[in-house]
Amino acid sequence: MRLSLSVQIAAGLLAGLALGLIASATRFDPLLQIATGIEPAGTIWINAIRMCVVPLVVTALISGVAALGDPRRLGRVGARTFAFVFGTLLLAELLGLALSLVTIPLAPVSEQTAASLRAAAAAGAEQISQQAGRVHGLRQFIVDLVPPNPVRAAADGQLLPLIVFSVLVGAAIGSLQEESRRSLTQITDSLVAALIKLIGWVMRLAPVGVACLAAPVAARFGWEAVRSLAVFVVTVVAGTVIFATAAYAPLAKWLGGVRIAPFARAITPGTTVAFTTASSMAALPTMMDSALNTLKISNPIASFVLPLGATLNRPGSAVYQMCAVVLVASLYGVTLGPVEYVTALATCLLMTFSVAAIPSATVFTTAPVLLSVGLPVESLALLLGVDRIPDMFRTGLNAIGHQVAAVVIARSEGETPG
C-alpha cells in the first residue's frame, strides 16, 4: 500500500531530524559531514517552491477576484459576507499573534543557535536584507502599497504591493462585459491550474527535500529547534480550538440566532470531511446539504455564501501564519516591532484569499508573509514537515467559519436558520 504524501513528508522529516540529532549528539565528523552536506539538495527543492510563489499569488488573486464579477453587482448579501469574512479573519490573526507571543517564548533558542540559523540562511541573505530594509513608518508603508512598476516589485520580492496590484487587476477584469471577462478568467484559471500542477510535481520531492533541510538544522542546533516546533504545533491547534469556541460559537448564537447544540450537530458532517481531507472544497457538497436540509437556509444564500467562504474565508490560515511569523522570528533571533507586525497582519489578510486548493497550501502562502518582514522562507521546510496536524485543525476551523457565515447572513436577510 502506497503511503500518502503527508505520511511520506512526516517520515522524511523524522529521518532528517534523526540523522541531524544523532550527528549533533555524537559529534561524529563523517556523520556531521553527511548531515550538512545534503543541504544543497534541500535548497534546490525550496527554491523550486519559491519559484512558484509570485506567479501563483498573482494568477490566483486575479482569477479569484475576477470571478466575483462587478463588485457593484454583489449587492447587500455580498457586502455583508465580505464584512463577516474580513472581521473574523482580522480577529483570527490577532488571536494567532497574541497566543504565539505568549507561547513561543516558552521554548527559546540561544543566541548561538539563532546566529547559526541566520548563517544557514546566508544564501537568501541579500533578498532578506532588502526586504527588511524596506520596512518604514506607517505613512511610507501605505505609499508603498501602490507599486510604480509591478514587474520590478515582483523581481524585488515586494509581495504586498504586487498583491494589491493583482487585486485591482482582478476587480477591473470583473467589471468587464461577460464575454470579455469569461475569456480572461479562463486564461487565469488555466494558469492557476498549471501552476498547481507544477507545485504538485515539486511536492513529490517533498520527503527528500524536507529531510535534506531538516538534517543540517538538527545537526547544527540540536533539540532547541525541535522543541520550538512542538510548541508551535500546540499553539496553532489551541488557536483554532479557542477561535471556534470563543468567536464562532457566540457569533452563531447571537448573530445567527441558532442554538449551539443543534447547530454543532448540523455542521459536524461538513466539518469532519474538511478535517479529515484538509480541504474545504472537498467538504463543500456536504456543507451545502447540511445548510439546505438541516439548517433550512435558502438556496440563494447557501449557494452564494458557502462557495465564496470556501474560496476566501480561511481563519485557520490566519491563525497559522501569524504563529509562523513569531516562531521564525524567534528561531532566527529577529526582533519585530509594531510596524513589522502591522505589515505581517496586512500581508496575511490578503494572502488568505489566495490559498490554493492543494495540501499544505497555507505553508506556501506563508512565504510572502515572512518576506514582508524580512524573515527567511527556508524555515518553511521545517513547518511543512509538521504540517499535517495543523493543516487538519485549520481546515476544520475554516469549514466551521463557512457555515457560521451562512447562518449569520441568512438571518440578516430575514431567514430563520434551524
Side-chain angles (χ1 to χ4, degrees):
M1 182 180 65
R2 185 176 180 179
L3 298 176
S4 66
L5 181 61
S6 60
V7 174
Q8 294 178 46
I9 293 175
L13 175 68
L14 291 175
L17 290 177
L19 174 61
L21 289 174
I22 293 172
S24 176
T26 62
R27 309 310 299 175
F28 184 50
D29 190 68
L31 200 59
L32 283 171
Q33 290 183 4
I34 293 173
T36 56
I38 61 177
E39 187 172 12
T43 302
I44 292 173
W45 176 72
I46 201 70
N47 284 348
I49 293 177
R50 295 175 65 178
M51 174 182 68
C52 301
V53 168
V54 168
L56 181 60
V57 167
V58 171
T59 53
L61 275 174
I62 292 176
S63 177
V65 175
L68 297 176
D70 188 344
R72 294 172 298 181
R73 295 162 52 193
L74 292 177
R76 184 175 62 248
V77 174
R80 289 174 177 173
T81 302
F82 275 102
F84 181 89
V85 168
F86 273 100
T88 53
L89 284 177
L90 183 57
L91 285 176
E93 288 183 11
L94 293 173
L95 173 64
L97 178 60
L99 268 181
S100 55
L101 287 174
V102 172
T103 59
I104 298 299
L106 297 178
V109 296
S110 65
E111 177 56 35
Q112 180 181 1
T113 297
S116 299
L117 276 165
R118 288 193 294 269
E126 182 179 354
Q127 183 183 26
I128 294 166
S129 62
Q130 288 174 354
Q131 291 290 335
R134 294 192 185 100
V135 178
H136 304 293
L138 180 60
R139 184 170 61 180
Q140 188 61 41
F141 167 77
I142 295 174
V143 171
D144 290 341
L145 288 177
V146 181
N149 186 339
V151 176
R152 178 65 180 271
D156 291 345
Q158 300 180 46
L159 272 300
L160 188 54
L162 189 62
I163 290 169
V164 173
F165 169 76
S166 302
V167 170
L168 293 176
V169 171
I173 293 174
S175 66
L176 298 176
Q177 295 295 322
E178 179 66 23
E179 183 176 351
S180 298
R181 179 166 64 91
R182 185 185 301 112
S183 62
L184 289 172
T185 53
Q186 286 176 345
I187 294 173
T188 55
D189 288 345
S190 298
L191 286 172
V192 171
L195 287 166
I196 289 176
K197 175 68 72 173
L198 175 59
I199 290 177
W201 294 344
V202 174
M203 284 298 295
R204 292 181 184 179
L205 301 174
V208 175
V210 167
C212 292
L213 287 170
V217 170
R220 294 188 184 105
F221 320 127
W223 285 104
E224 288 188 4
V226 177
R227 183 182 57 187
S228 295
L229 284 174
V231 173
F232 168 75
V233 171
V234 172
T235 301
V236 173
V237 170
T240 59
V241 174
I242 291 172
F243 197 79
T245 55
Y248 276 145
L251 286 172
K253 181 178 181 179
W254 297 335
L255 299 183
V258 295
R259 291 179 297 151
I260 296 302
F263 176 70
R265 288 194 295 270
I267 68 172
T268 294
T271 304
T272 301
V273 173
F275 183 86
T276 54
T277 63
S279 171
S280 294
M281 287 299 181
L284 187 56
T286 307
M287 291 190 290
M288 287 290 296
D289 179 69
S290 298
L292 295 172
N293 300 316
T294 306
L295 295 173
K296 305 302 180 183
I297 298 174
S298 68
N299 184 63
I301 296 295
S303 297
F304 178 84
V305 175
L306 288 174
L308 185 63
T311 304
L312 300 177
N313 187 25
R314 296 184 176 89
S317 297
V319 171
Y320 177 92
Q321 290 180 342
M322 293 311 301
C323 290
V325 167
V326 177
L327 171 70
V328 175
S330 173
L331 286 176
Y332 284 80
V334 177
T335 301
L336 301 179
V339 173
E340 288 85 352
Y341 285 127
V342 169
T343 302
L345 287 167
T347 309
C348 176
L349 186 63
L350 290 173
M351 289 313 303
T352 53
F353 297 129
S354 61
V355 178
I358 57 176
S360 299
T362 294
V363 179
F364 301 123
T365 54
T366 302
V369 183
L370 296 178
L371 286 172
S372 70
V373 291
L375 296 174
V377 297
E378 286 78 7
S379 57
L380 294 181
L382 290 176
L383 303 187
L384 182 62
V386 295
D387 189 54
R388 181 58 182 174
I389 293 176
D391 196 8
M392 294 169 69
F393 275 88
R394 65 175 178 255
T395 308
L397 178 63
N398 293 345
I400 294 172
H402 309 333
Q403 296 168 97
V404 172
V407 296
V408 169
I409 302 305
R411 193 187 188 202
S412 72
E413 290 296 302
E415 299 181 16
T416 306

